[in-house]
């Protein structure tokens, strides 16, 4: 894919080198190195320039990002792909249950990566799979994919700086959660001897913070609908924190194995709020509760 960006240099930006200017726009060192290796990727008023060139007010700086390769080890497979939003820099999809994000052992052709590879192959377009906010296999909902190296770097930094608000809906076992809204601040670590399972561990754990609000309670089904948003992004964070406060998610085979009300952990990434990585315009995406969770309400 080719992405062209044009910047009009202002008086405040005069005398900045191209390299300094690009760093101020969010280009990483790796991005700039990659651009230097590409022909006609850095143009000032239509002519090629070194990144050491000092910009002048009124000049037009054009950056052309050219990416012709695709992710080699991802097989294009026709799978369900619900696209919520797409532009030149990012793709937002609503991931279904029972779909891993990346190919792995025994999961070579049933992942979100396979579905996206097929989507772009049908358009005869190259695509490098760059997932920004990963979801567990059975967690449904919104995930962001970056479409070029620049947006990938900026979005990844936004995640690490907690500038993307990620909200989830969950069905938790039991009612009467008190208080009805609050914050769970409890460190999470891997359980000794397990490569997958996590637990709250105040000695070895990394800080993990989850905010929550009880939206509804079902006395009939003895469960609560909860809205949660993450301040940190630890593995299984919501699932571990809900177990820690005594209200594990229904259907969670790992942290609530005795519950079979639903065939997966009842967790759905329903809202993402962020600034666009390139235009800086505010964006908010939502995905409705999936049918298997909606049935309990």
């Amino acid at each position: 894919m080719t992405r062209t960006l044009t910047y009009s240099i202002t008086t405040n930006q005069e005398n900045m080198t191209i390299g300094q200017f690009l760093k101020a726009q969010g280009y990483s060192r790796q991005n700039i190195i990659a651009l230097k290796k590409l022909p006609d990727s850095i143009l000032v008023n239509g002519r090629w320039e070194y990144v050491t060139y000092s910009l002048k007010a009124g000049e037009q700086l054009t950056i052309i990002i050219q990416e012709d390769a695709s992710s080699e080890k991802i097989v294009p497979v026709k799978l369900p792909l619900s696209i919520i939003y797409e532009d030149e820099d990012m793709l937002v999809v609503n991931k279904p249950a029972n779909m891993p994000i990346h190919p792995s052992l025994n999961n070579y052709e049933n992942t979100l990566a396979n579905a996206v590879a097929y989507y772009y192959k049908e358009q005869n377009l190259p695509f490098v799979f760059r997932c920004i906010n990963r979801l567990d296999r059975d967690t449904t909902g919104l995930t962001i994919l970056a479409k070029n190296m620049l947006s990938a770097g900026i979005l990844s930094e936004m995640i690490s700086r907690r500038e993307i608000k990620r909200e989830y809906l969950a069905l938790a076992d039991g009612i009467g959660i008190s208080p009805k809204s609050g914050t769970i601040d409890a460190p999470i670590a891997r359980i000794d001897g397990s490569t997958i399972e996590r637990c709250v561990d105040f000695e070895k754990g990394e800080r993990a913070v989850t905010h929550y609000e009880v939206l509804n309670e079902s006395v009939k089904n003895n469960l609560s609908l909860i809205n949660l948003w993450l301040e940190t992004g630890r593995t299984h964070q919501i699932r571990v924190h809900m177990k820690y406060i005594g209200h594990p998610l229904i259907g969670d085979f790992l942290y609530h194995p005795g519950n079979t009300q639903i065939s997966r952990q009842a967790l759905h990434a329903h809202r993402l709020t962020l600034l666009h990585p390139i235009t800086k315009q505010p964006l908010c995406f939502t995905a409705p509760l999936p049918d298997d969770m909606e049935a309990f309400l």
Side-chain angles (χ1 to χ4, degrees):
M1 293 186 182
T2 300
R3 176 70 165 105
T4 302
L5 298 113
T6 302
Y7 305 94
S8 297
I9 305 304
T10 68
T11 53
N12 292 335
Q13 297 160 336
E14 191 167 26
N15 296 323
M16 293 179 72
T17 67
I18 291 175
Q20 291 170 336
F21 177 86
L22 294 180
K23 286 180 181 178
Q25 304 305 310
Y27 290 72
S28 68
R29 180 173 176 272
Q30 291 76 13
N31 291 161
I32 295 172
I33 290 172
L35 287 171
K36 288 164 64 176
K37 294 178 181 178
L38 297 172
D40 298 324
S41 59
I42 303 173
L43 306 174
V44 176
N45 294 340
R47 69 180 185 277
W48 181 86
E49 286 290 355
Y50 290 102
V51 294
T52 54
Y53 175 82
S54 294
L55 294 163
K56 302 175 183 61
E59 289 183 323
Q60 294 287 112
L61 173 63
T62 301
I63 301 298
I64 303 174
I65 300 171
Q66 305 167 64
E67 296 182 296
D68 299 324
S70 294
S71 298
E72 294 180 0
K73 296 182 180 180
I74 298 176
V75 180
V77 181
K78 188 175 183 180
L79 295 169
L81 185 65
S82 175
I83 296 174
I84 302 298
Y85 174 87
E86 182 176 13
D87 63 20
E88 291 183 283
D89 301 297
M90 56 190 287
L91 181 72
V92 181
V93 302
N94 183 11
K95 187 185 80 67
N98 195 33
M99 178 181 275
I101 294 288
H102 294 99
S104 61
L105 183 65
N106 299 322
N107 292 292
Y108 293 114
E109 299 184 356
N110 62 333
T111 72
L112 180 62
N114 298 119
V116 175
Y118 181 87
Y119 173 69
Y120 283 100
K121 181 184 177 183
E122 288 294 287
Q123 302 175 64
N124 293 315
L125 293 173
F127 187 76
V128 176
F129 187 73
R130 301 179 175 105
C131 186
I132 303 302
N133 60 312
R134 298 182 178 93
L135 302 177
D136 293 338
R137 175 180 185 142
D138 281 332
T139 298
T140 56
L142 298 170
T143 187
I144 303 172
L145 308 177
K147 291 179 63 176
N148 56 66
M149 64 179 184
L150 174 60
S151 61
I154 295 173
L155 286 165
S156 295
E157 282 295 312
M158 290 170 68
I159 282 283
S160 62
R161 292 196 301 262
R162 304 171 188 172
E163 294 172 355
I164 299 178
K165 186 176 182 182
R166 297 167 285 166
E167 296 182 60
Y168 295 77
L169 293 173
L171 294 176
D173 197 356
I175 59 176
I177 297 174
S178 181
K180 294 293 185 185
S181 62
T183 297
I184 306 166
D185 188 343
I188 292 175
R190 181 184 282 116
I191 289 180
D192 290 341
S194 174
T195 59
I196 301 174
E197 196 170 357
R198 265 65 173 176
C199 67
V200 168
D201 187 328
F202 285 91
E203 291 185 0
K204 302 177 183 177
E206 295 181 288
R207 189 173 186 228
V209 181
T210 304
H211 306 284
Y212 74 90
E213 179 185 10
V214 178
L215 300 180
N216 200 357
E217 295 180 329
S218 171
V219 176
K220 175 184 176 182
N221 294 313
N222 189 38
L223 57 81
S224 301
L225 175 66
I226 305 174
N227 186 54
L228 306 108
W229 57 102
L230 301 177
E231 190 171 312
T232 55
R234 307 301 175 201
T235 299
H236 297 175
Q237 180 172 316
I238 289 175
R239 298 162 67 186
V240 172
H241 273 174
M242 292 308 298
K243 177 182 179 179
Y244 173 70
I245 66 170
H247 294 275
L249 305 189
I250 65 170
D252 192 335
F253 74 95
L254 195 58
Y255 301 105
H256 196 23
N259 185 280
T260 57
Q261 288 174 273
I262 189 172
S263 62
R264 65 178 182 95
Q265 69 261 12
L267 184 61
H268 176 64
H270 81 109
R271 180 178 292 122
L272 288 171
T273 307
L274 69 153
L275 296 181
H276 191 281
I278 307 301
T279 68
K280 309 306 177 186
Q281 292 299 306
L283 300 172
C284 183
F285 306 109
T286 58
L289 205 63
D291 292 342
D292 61 349
M293 291 177 65
E294 180 70 33
F296 286 92
L297 304 176

